[in-house]
Amino acid sequence: QVQLVESGGGSVQTGGSLVLSCAASTYTWKTYCVAWFRQAPGKAREGVASIYRDGTSFYSDSAKGRFTISRDNAKKTVYLQMNDLKPEDTAMYYCAADDTYGACETRSVTSFDTWGQGTQVTVSS
């Protein structure tokens, strides 16, 4: 089973940028949908962006126009470029993988059975 490791989190001020990385342990990962989720204290985990093996990507309304998801299959890594960050973006960010296109479309938490450990993003005003 693929294992995922996130990195790139940190603390930034409002309007700043961060790039999160999700590295996979196996090349079979390239057949997967990979998604970024986030969870703020006291809130439900929500899907932010996802990308399928063919490069098709999906975004939540809060991410559209500010976040960009991309993947480098040779490096077994998916990236989340986050621009114009806001305090409400503060959360633990997780990447997750599933081998179905439907998981990418819905970004439903229950559709993904492989998760990373998370990386913290803090945006201060």
Side-chain angles (χ1 to χ4, degrees), residues 65-85:
R66 299 188 301 128
F67 296 0
T68 303
I69 191 170
S70 61
R71 66 191 297 162
D72 185 331
N73 287 339
K75 294 183 177 179
K76 299 179 291 182
T77 301
V78 167
Y79 304 96
L80 184 68
Q81 171 76 49
M82 303 187 296
N83 298 326
D84 190 25
L85 284 163

Side-chain angles (χ1 to χ4, degrees), residues 31-34 51-53 97-106 111-112:
T31 69
Y32 283 60
C33 163
V34 178
I51 187 165
Y52 195 53
R53 59 188 180 189
D98 186 79
D99 60 0
T100 65
Y101 184 83
C104 262
E105 284 187 297
T106 64
S111 296
F112 292 83

